[in-house]
Amino acid sequence: MLRLEAVSKRFGRDWVLRDVSLSLGRGEVLALLGPNGSGKTTLLRLMAGLLKPTRGRVVREGRALFLANPPPFHRHLTAKEHLLYDLAFHGGRGDWRGALARYGLPEDLPLAAFSSGMKKRLALARLELLSPDLWLLDEPETALDQEGRELLLRALDGARARGGVVFATHDRALAEAVADRVLWLGAA
Amino acid sequence: MRAEGQKAVGRGGLGVGRVWLLALRDLRLEVRDRAGVLSALSFLAVMLFIMALALGPEEGALRRAAPGVLWVALAFLATLLSTRAFALEVEDATLDDLLLTPGGKEWVYFGKLLFQMLLLFPLSAFALLLSALLFHLPLGKALPLFLTLALGGLGYAGVATFYAGLLARLRGREVLLPLLLFSLVVPVVLAGVRATAGLLEGVPLAEVASWWQLLLVFDVVYLTAGALLFPVVMEG
């Protein structure tokens, strides 16, 4: 459901990625590991279609959504409002109230008052509701407490069943526990 | 809120429903933030007041200068609003999420444009009333005057939305936007000033109508070009 053919990306004169080729099948989870600045986030953004490769080709099947780190939300909206707008923009239907309850989040608190961990939980609830074929996650474990981490593992299981997952992380244990394959990115 | 969202979803979450929903969401964000609307209002009031002070107190001079002053104020106001339309996304880093919604990106362009018009129309009416007070303008033709401002504002905002989207991720966008924008919207401002001056001087509506037609043509051209090019420039 995702194929990268000799993808390279350059910002100005600096090559961030060179000749990355990979494929991801349905039901597969791929972890991206590597030091800061190795191009993990850039690679995820290329996979999502938010960036165009300088060279090479990205082929995607189905709908992909990208979860940035930290997850972006409008601070003046509540969690309920955000999910309802997202559902409407994406043309989806879903039990937003159930999703918020599952992730232990309040409905009517402005997101400006959410902690980083709560925002990460909301981002996972949002992805679950919008149900894309391909989940692209940038350091999804960051800021999550133990309970949040268990929710993440459950969400990744669900995402695997619906399509595929690529996530970037610095947590080698998480990568080894969840991913079918690990791609190590060194400095470009 | 729930009804709004579900109505758009009921229509497939596409097209007009999404455009309205995005505009209303941005309006809600703007009202809760308050800074944008308040700064636009105070900017408008201060600018008109300073110009009236600088050009007055002779009534004839004030009336002659009024169309130009009004349009300069509206041009700056529309530029400010177009920057706000994308600042809402840039400040909260949500632009990528918006661009990952399924389907074309034209709806984002029209949603952002509609948001600006929802603010620009009442602010234009406010500017007209304040100008009438400060520049001794007759308001016998208030409706045709408002129509002129609306037609001009739409064309102006159509171009401004496109450029504001194009520059949204760049540093220094507040400097670049007016530079890129003003060269393209000169015809709209000129036609707007001539139509406004004509109405204030009591020129028959049939003669002013030719300027309205010109503004309408600019609106159609700018909005069509904006909608077609916006998805292209928003791609990484």
Side-chain angles (χ1 to χ4, degrees):
Chain A
M1 62 186 317
L2 176 71
R3 198 169 70 247
L4 273 69
E5 297 170 358
V7 167
S8 300
K9 182 66 187 175
R10 186 177 63 185
F11 292 112
R13 289 181 177 176
D14 300 322
W15 287 95
V16 179
L17 293 166
R18 281 182 197 269
D19 294 325
V20 178
S21 295
L22 62 88
S23 64
L24 184 84
R26 191 161 282 277
E28 259 193 296
V29 177
L30 171 70
L32 306 176
L33 281 172
N36 293 330
S38 59
K40 300 187 295 297
T41 303
T42 302
L43 189 55
L44 286 171
R45 291 173 65 81
L46 284 163
M47 289 171 174
L50 290 167
L51 288 175
K52 275 185 178 169
T54 310
R55 286 202 305 248
R57 202 159 75 108
V58 178
V59 184
R60 240 184 351 263
E61 279 171 30
R63 194 160 56 96
L65 283 182
F66 172 61
L67 168 57
N69 181 43
F73 289 111
H74 287 294
R75 58 191 183 281
H76 293 300
L77 294 180
T78 65
K80 167 187 164 184
E81 288 169 341
H82 226 297
L83 290 186
L84 280 169
Y85 279 123
D86 282 332
L87 279 171
F89 291 157
H90 284 261
R93 286 174 189 276
D95 176 17
W96 59 269
R97 188 163 272 151
L100 287 178
R102 260 196 313 285
Y103 283 87
L105 295 168
E107 285 181 18
D108 295 319
L109 192 65
L111 296 182
F114 270 39
S115 70
S116 307
M118 288 164 83
K119 282 183 189 163
K120 196 53 82 72
R121 286 183 184 215
L122 179 59
L124 292 171
R126 176 180 178 272
L127 277 177
E128 208 173 284
L129 266 181
L130 299 179
S131 191
D133 303 292
L134 180 62
W135 290 35
L136 302 166
L137 314 171
D138 195 5
E139 300 186 27
E141 77 286 0
T142 312
L144 286 176
D145 56 16
Q146 190 52 42
E147 189 193 342
R149 209 176 155 91
E150 282 160 21
L151 288 166
L152 167 65
L153 294 176
R154 215 174 302 157
L156 289 176
D157 271 348
R160 181 203 292 271
R162 277 193 292 269
V165 181
V166 182
F167 70 99
T169 183
H170 291 288
D171 187 335
R172 192 182 287 261
L174 177 71
E176 285 168 1
V178 175
D180 303 303
R181 282 183 293 148
V182 173
L183 178 67
W184 175 264
L185 293 171
Chain B
M1 169 63 225
R2 189 176 184 185
E4 268 175 30
Q6 286 182 341
K7 200 182 283 181
V9 176
R11 290 174 191 154
L14 300 168
V16 179
R18 281 208 293 191
V19 168
W20 266 105
L21 203 61
L22 178 59
L24 293 176
R25 187 208 66 177
D26 282 359
L27 207 56
R28 175 175 285 189
L29 290 171
E30 195 60 66
V31 168
R32 287 183 186 171
D33 189 52
R34 285 192 286 271
V37 178
L38 284 178
S39 61
L41 255 178
S42 53
F43 164 79
L44 206 55
V46 168
M47 180 172 177
L48 290 174
F49 190 69
I50 289 175
M51 291 306 282
L53 275 181
L55 296 166
E58 204 255 307
E59 275 190 31
L62 282 170
R63 275 195 196 150
R64 278 192 300 279
V69 172
L70 189 57
W71 274 92
V72 169
L74 286 177
F76 283 126
L77 178 68
T79 309
L80 184 72
L81 290 178
S82 66
T83 311
R84 278 303 297 167
F86 286 91
L88 294 170
E89 310 296 342
V90 173
E91 284 167 11
D92 290 330
T94 49
L95 190 56
D96 285 347
D97 278 348
L98 209 51
L99 297 177
L100 281 180
T101 50
K105 307 287 171 269
E106 296 85 358
W107 75 276
V108 177
Y109 171 80
F110 284 117
K112 293 291 178 187
L113 178 62
L114 183 59
F115 157 72
Q116 290 169 68
M117 300 319 293
L118 289 174
L119 286 174
L120 193 61
F121 284 167
L123 287 171
S124 298
F126 169 72
L128 194 58
L129 289 174
L130 193 61
S131 301
L133 196 71
L134 295 171
F135 292 81
H136 307 282
L137 303 181
L139 272 185
K141 288 180 178 168
L143 266 180
L145 278 169
F146 182 73
L147 176 67
T148 307
L149 297 181
L151 282 173
L154 183 61
Y156 195 101
V159 185
T161 306
F162 169 76
Y163 275 124
L166 174 69
L167 300 170
R169 293 189 184 96
L170 299 183
R171 269 184 295 175
R173 53 187 169 271
E174 288 86 1
V175 180
L176 283 170
L177 180 64
L179 290 176
L180 288 170
L181 183 59
F182 288 153
S183 55
L184 259 183
V185 291
V186 165
V188 171
V189 176
L190 277 179
V193 170
R194 296 301 293 269
T196 309
L199 287 167
L200 292 174
E201 287 162 10
V203 171
L205 283 183
E207 279 183 43
V208 177
S210 59
W211 291 111
W212 288 341
Q213 285 168 359
L214 193 60
L215 283 172
L216 199 60
V217 170
F218 284 131
D219 289 355
V220 172
V221 170
Y222 285 159
L223 263 62
T224 308
L228 289 174
L229 293 173
F230 184 81
V232 180
V233 301
M234 295 312 285
E235 282 182 11

